[in-house]
Amino acid sequence: MKPIRLAAPLLALTIAGAAAAETPNRLVTILTAPEPQTQLMTMVLTMNAIAAGAEAEMLLCGPAGDIALKEAPATATAGQPPQGASPQGLMKKMMEESGLKVQVCAIYLPGKGADASILMDGVTAAAPDAMGATIVAPGTTVLSF
């Protein structure tokens, strides 16, 4: 009887492991903070999550949406210590090298009285229903700054 008692837990672990392997490790980073240091650290953490195997996307809202502007403020483009990286520069790198999907909040552009032409190439406005579904999808971790 002992083999039967051991078989059930091993089977359960095998099934759970297979299910976990099918669920991607997803990260949604939501950034609203206006401080350049917080913005840069958000980019650093997202970049490291991607390097560790996460599929990531980013939502920029409020003042953080300015990072995605073609004509971004100096706070988004100025290099910071210790390595001289900027929030926008690191975001661009992740978009180009890792396929990071970057979106601004759906109300960001209307709040600025502008259209998508002011955004960097590759950045779009989020659809609230799609972003909501992404946030609650199995295997998704949400970081918010």
Side-chain angles (χ1 to χ4, degrees), residues 43-133:
M43 299 302 165
V44 169
L45 292 173
T46 301
M47 183 179 68
N48 280 277
I50 292 169
E55 295 175 11
E57 62 183 273
M58 185 170 289
L59 180 65
L60 304 172
C61 299
D66 293 350
I67 298 169
L69 295 174
K70 287 178 183 173
E71 295 184 26
T75 56
T77 60
Q80 297 181 44
Q83 297 187 5
S86 72
Q88 189 184 68
L90 208 49
M91 184 182 77
K92 280 182 182 179
K93 180 178 178 176
M94 289 185 287
M95 291 172 70
E96 293 166 2
E97 295 178 7
S98 306
L100 176 69
K101 180 180 179 180
V102 178
Q103 300 176 79
V104 293
C105 284
I107 60 175
Y108 176 78
L109 291 170
K112 283 197 138 336
D115 63 22
S117 66
I118 67 170
L119 298 175
M120 295 172 23
D121 290 339
V123 177
T124 60
D129 57 338
M131 183 52 71

